[in-house]
Amino acid sequence: PAFGLFIFTIARDPLRIIILIAGAFFWLVSLLLSSLIWFIAVKASDPQDERLQKGLLIFGVMFSVLLQEAFRFLYYKLLRKAIEGLVALSEDGCSPISIQQMAYVAGVGFGLMSGAFSMINLLADALGPGTVGIHGDSQLYFLTSAFMTMVLIFLHTFWGILFFHGCEHRLWWEIAAVVIMHLTVSGLSFCNPLYVGSLVPSYLLMAAAAAWAYLLSGGSAQNLRRFLLCKC
């Protein structure tokens, strides 16, 4: 369902596709830089020290989250400049795409690239060696990983809307809320293989972020009710 966001809301608009691809590129660069820092830290440390290695892993995850949000801010700045250029070039003085639409498309770009890398890692694990659950571990690894990938795609979409709204109106607490939610969801992954401990809170946060983003985008309870009842 998450990848349907692209097909149904973005694929028909060339400008949205460009914004999405650029957003995916920004996320990819943030991942590359955070992976490089983590790789250097691991190589420079004692590989036999398990406690240190676990600490470096936690540091790597938290640093990656902060770097992703930093690149989201840089992308907002870039898109803000792009809107000014589009307005200057347009005949009627209006931008062909609003900042709210850009926020949504940029969020989908971040989410799709994040989901694509999660799927690649999952498929790499599926190739073996070994069989999931053979030593009494949970056999729900692949299923829960798929659900976690989906929730991250949706969360990045909602975070994009919240983050851009915070930047646009200088509501820094909204930006901080996005960073805290991102850190929380990433930190919950350390609860695995207790998958309930990571999936349930993540989906609750997704529901809260979805409702928040819906309201900031101009939605209302009446509009939602009309949509669910298929009324024009």
Short mmCIF file of all heavy atoms in Angstrom, two decimals, residues 32-61:
data_model
loop_
_atom_site.label_atom_id
_atom_site.label_comp_id
_atom_site.label_asym_id
_atom_site.label_seq_id
_atom_site.Cartn_x
_atom_site.Cartn_y
_atom_site.Cartn_z
N LEU A 32 24.47 7.63 3.20
CA LEU A 32 25.87 7.40 2.83
C LEU A 32 26.82 8.03 3.83
O LEU A 32 27.78 7.40 4.29
CB LEU A 32 26.13 7.96 1.43
CG LEU A 32 27.58 7.89 0.92
CD1 LEU A 32 28.03 6.45 0.79
CD2 LEU A 32 27.71 8.61 -0.42
N LEU A 33 26.55 9.27 4.22
CA LEU A 33 27.43 9.96 5.16
C LEU A 33 27.39 9.32 6.55
O LEU A 33 28.43 9.11 7.18
CB LEU A 33 27.03 11.43 5.26
CG LEU A 33 27.28 12.28 4.00
CD1 LEU A 33 26.78 13.70 4.22
CD2 LEU A 33 28.76 12.29 3.64
N SER A 34 26.18 8.97 7.02
CA SER A 34 26.07 8.34 8.34
C SER A 34 26.72 6.96 8.35
O SER A 34 27.36 6.57 9.33
CB SER A 34 24.61 8.24 8.76
OG SER A 34 23.85 7.49 7.83
N SER A 35 26.58 6.21 7.24
CA SER A 35 27.22 4.89 7.15
C SER A 35 28.73 5.02 7.15
O SER A 35 29.43 4.19 7.76
CB SER A 35 26.75 4.18 5.87
OG SER A 35 25.36 3.98 5.87
N LEU A 36 29.23 6.06 6.50
CA LEU A 36 30.67 6.28 6.46
C LEU A 36 31.23 6.58 7.85
O LEU A 36 32.26 6.03 8.25
CB LEU A 36 30.98 7.43 5.49
CG LEU A 36 32.46 7.77 5.29
CD1 LEU A 36 33.22 6.58 4.69
CD2 LEU A 36 32.61 8.99 4.38
N ILE A 37 30.52 7.44 8.59
CA ILE A 37 30.95 7.78 9.94
C ILE A 37 30.94 6.55 10.83
O ILE A 37 31.87 6.28 11.61
CB ILE A 37 30.05 8.88 10.53
CG1 ILE A 37 30.17 10.18 9.72
CG2 ILE A 37 30.40 9.13 11.99
CD1 ILE A 37 31.54 10.80 9.73
N TRP A 38 29.85 5.75 10.73
CA TRP A 38 29.75 4.54 11.55
C TRP A 38 30.83 3.53 11.17
O TRP A 38 31.43 2.90 12.05
CB TRP A 38 28.37 3.92 11.36
CG TRP A 38 28.20 2.63 12.11
CD1 TRP A 38 27.96 2.47 13.44
CD2 TRP A 38 28.28 1.31 11.56
NE1 TRP A 38 27.89 1.13 13.76
CE2 TRP A 38 28.08 0.40 12.62
CE3 TRP A 38 28.49 0.82 10.28
CZ2 TRP A 38 28.08 -0.98 12.42
CZ3 TRP A 38 28.50 -0.56 10.08
CH2 TRP A 38 28.30 -1.44 11.15
N PHE A 39 31.11 3.39 9.89
CA PHE A 39 32.13 2.44 9.43
C PHE A 39 33.51 2.82 9.97
O PHE A 39 34.27 1.97 10.43
CB PHE A 39 32.15 2.40 7.90
CG PHE A 39 33.19 1.48 7.33
CD1 PHE A 39 32.97 0.10 7.29
CD2 PHE A 39 34.38 1.98 6.82
CE1 PHE A 39 33.92 -0.75 6.76
CE2 PHE A 39 35.33 1.13 6.28
CZ PHE A 39 35.11 -0.24 6.25
N ILE A 40 33.82 4.11 9.93
CA ILE A 40 35.12 4.58 10.44
C ILE A 40 35.21 4.33 11.95
O ILE A 40 36.25 3.89 12.46
CB ILE A 40 35.32 6.07 10.11
CG1 ILE A 40 35.43 6.27 8.60
CG2 ILE A 40 36.54 6.62 10.83
CD1 ILE A 40 35.49 7.72 8.17
N ALA A 41 34.10 4.62 12.66
CA ALA A 41 34.09 4.42 14.11
C ALA A 41 34.29 2.96 14.48
O ALA A 41 35.02 2.62 15.42
CB ALA A 41 32.78 4.94 14.70
N VAL A 42 33.65 2.05 13.73
CA VAL A 42 33.78 0.62 14.00
C VAL A 42 35.20 0.14 13.72
O VAL A 42 35.79 -0.63 14.50
CB VAL A 42 32.77 -0.18 13.16
CG1 VAL A 42 33.07 -1.68 13.23
CG2 VAL A 42 31.36 0.08 13.65
N LYS A 43 35.78 0.58 12.62
CA LYS A 43 37.14 0.15 12.26
C LYS A 43 38.18 0.69 13.23
O LYS A 43 39.23 0.06 13.44
CB LYS A 43 37.47 0.61 10.83
CG LYS A 43 36.71 -0.13 9.74
CD LYS A 43 37.04 -1.61 9.77
CE LYS A 43 36.32 -2.38 8.67
NZ LYS A 43 36.62 -3.83 8.69
N ALA A 44 37.89 1.86 13.81
CA ALA A 44 38.85 2.46 14.74
C ALA A 44 38.70 1.94 16.17
O ALA A 44 39.47 2.32 17.05
CB ALA A 44 38.69 3.98 14.72
N SER A 45 37.71 1.07 16.41
CA SER A 45 37.46 0.57 17.76
C SER A 45 37.86 -0.90 17.86
O SER A 45 38.22 -1.54 16.87
CB SER A 45 35.98 0.74 18.12
OG SER A 45 35.17 -0.01 17.22
N ASP A 46 37.76 -1.42 19.07
CA ASP A 46 38.10 -2.82 19.34
C ASP A 46 36.92 -3.71 18.95
O ASP A 46 35.86 -3.66 19.58
CB ASP A 46 38.42 -3.00 20.82
CG ASP A 46 38.83 -4.44 21.15
OD1 ASP A 46 39.01 -5.25 20.20
OD2 ASP A 46 38.96 -4.75 22.34
N PRO A 47 37.07 -4.57 17.92
CA PRO A 47 35.95 -5.42 17.49
C PRO A 47 35.57 -6.49 18.51
O PRO A 47 34.49 -7.07 18.42
CB PRO A 47 36.46 -6.05 16.18
CG PRO A 47 37.95 -6.02 16.31
CD PRO A 47 38.26 -4.77 17.08
N GLN A 48 36.43 -6.76 19.46
CA GLN A 48 36.15 -7.79 20.47
C GLN A 48 35.33 -7.26 21.64
O GLN A 48 34.80 -8.04 22.43
CB GLN A 48 37.48 -8.35 21.01
CG GLN A 48 38.40 -8.93 19.93
CD GLN A 48 37.75 -10.05 19.15
OE1 GLN A 48 36.98 -10.85 19.72
NE2 GLN A 48 38.03 -10.14 17.86
N ASP A 49 35.24 -5.94 21.74
CA ASP A 49 34.48 -5.33 22.82
C ASP A 49 33.01 -5.23 22.41
O ASP A 49 32.60 -4.30 21.71
CB ASP A 49 35.04 -3.94 23.12
CG ASP A 49 34.48 -3.34 24.41
OD1 ASP A 49 33.40 -3.79 24.85
OD2 ASP A 49 35.12 -2.43 24.97
N GLU A 50 32.18 -6.20 22.85
CA GLU A 50 30.78 -6.25 22.43
C GLU A 50 29.99 -5.06 22.94
O GLU A 50 29.11 -4.54 22.25
CB GLU A 50 30.15 -7.55 22.91
CG GLU A 50 30.74 -8.81 22.27
CD GLU A 50 30.01 -10.06 22.71
OE1 GLU A 50 29.01 -9.93 23.47
OE2 GLU A 50 30.43 -11.16 22.29
N ARG A 51 30.29 -4.65 24.16
CA ARG A 51 29.57 -3.51 24.73
C ARG A 51 29.84 -2.24 23.93
O ARG A 51 28.93 -1.45 23.65
CB ARG A 51 29.98 -3.33 26.19
CG ARG A 51 29.19 -2.25 26.92
CD ARG A 51 29.57 -2.22 28.39
NE ARG A 51 28.81 -1.20 29.11
CZ ARG A 51 28.93 -0.97 30.41
NH1 ARG A 51 29.80 -1.69 31.13
NH2 ARG A 51 28.20 -0.03 31.00
N LEU A 52 31.10 -2.06 23.55
CA LEU A 52 31.46 -0.89 22.75
C LEU A 52 30.81 -0.94 21.37
O LEU A 52 30.30 0.07 20.87
CB LEU A 52 32.98 -0.80 22.61
CG LEU A 52 33.51 0.32 21.71
CD1 LEU A 52 33.09 1.68 22.25
CD2 LEU A 52 35.03 0.23 21.59
N GLN A 53 30.79 -2.12 20.77
CA GLN A 53 30.21 -2.26 19.44
C GLN A 53 28.70 -1.99 19.46
O GLN A 53 28.16 -1.38 18.54
CB GLN A 53 30.47 -3.67 18.89
CG GLN A 53 31.95 -3.96 18.60
CD GLN A 53 32.55 -2.98 17.62
OE1 GLN A 53 31.95 -2.64 16.61
NE2 GLN A 53 33.76 -2.52 17.91
N LYS A 54 28.03 -2.43 20.52
CA LYS A 54 26.61 -2.14 20.64
C LYS A 54 26.37 -0.66 20.83
O LYS A 54 25.44 -0.08 20.26
CB LYS A 54 26.01 -2.93 21.82
CG LYS A 54 24.50 -2.75 21.94
CD LYS A 54 23.92 -3.60 23.06
CE LYS A 54 22.41 -3.42 23.14
NZ LYS A 54 21.83 -4.27 24.21
N GLY A 55 27.25 -0.03 21.61
CA GLY A 55 27.14 1.41 21.79
C GLY A 55 27.35 2.17 20.50
O GLY A 55 26.66 3.15 20.22
N LEU A 56 28.30 1.69 19.69
CA LEU A 56 28.54 2.33 18.39
C LEU A 56 27.34 2.14 17.46
O LEU A 56 27.03 3.03 16.66
CB LEU A 56 29.80 1.74 17.75
CG LEU A 56 31.13 2.15 18.37
CD1 LEU A 56 32.29 1.43 17.71
CD2 LEU A 56 31.34 3.67 18.26
N LEU A 57 26.68 0.98 17.55
CA LEU A 57 25.50 0.75 16.72
C LEU A 57 24.38 1.71 17.10
O LEU A 57 23.73 2.30 16.22
CB LEU A 57 25.03 -0.70 16.89
CG LEU A 57 23.77 -1.10 16.11
CD1 LEU A 57 23.99 -0.93 14.62
CD2 LEU A 57 23.36 -2.52 16.44
N ILE A 58 24.17 1.89 18.40
CA ILE A 58 23.15 2.83 18.87
C ILE A 58 23.51 4.25 18.42
O ILE A 58 22.65 5.01 17.94
CB ILE A 58 23.01 2.76 20.39
CG1 ILE A 58 22.49 1.38 20.81
CG2 ILE A 58 22.09 3.86 20.91
CD1 ILE A 58 22.47 1.16 22.31
N PHE A 59 24.79 4.59 18.56
CA PHE A 59 25.24 5.92 18.11
C PHE A 59 25.01 6.09 16.62
O PHE A 59 24.56 7.15 16.16
CB PHE A 59 26.74 6.08 18.42
CG PHE A 59 27.38 7.19 17.64
CD1 PHE A 59 27.20 8.52 17.99
CD2 PHE A 59 28.20 6.90 16.54
CE1 PHE A 59 27.80 9.54 17.26
CE2 PHE A 59 28.80 7.91 15.81
CZ PHE A 59 28.59 9.23 16.17
N GLY A 60 25.31 5.04 15.84
CA GLY A 60 25.13 5.12 14.40
C GLY A 60 23.68 5.35 14.01
O GLY A 60 23.38 6.15 13.10
N VAL A 61 22.76 4.67 14.68
CA VAL A 61 21.32 4.84 14.39
C VAL A 61 20.86 6.25 14.74
O VAL A 61 20.19 6.92 13.95
CB VAL A 61 20.50 3.79 15.15
CG1 VAL A 61 19.01 4.09 15.04
CG2 VAL A 61 20.79 2.39 14.62
#
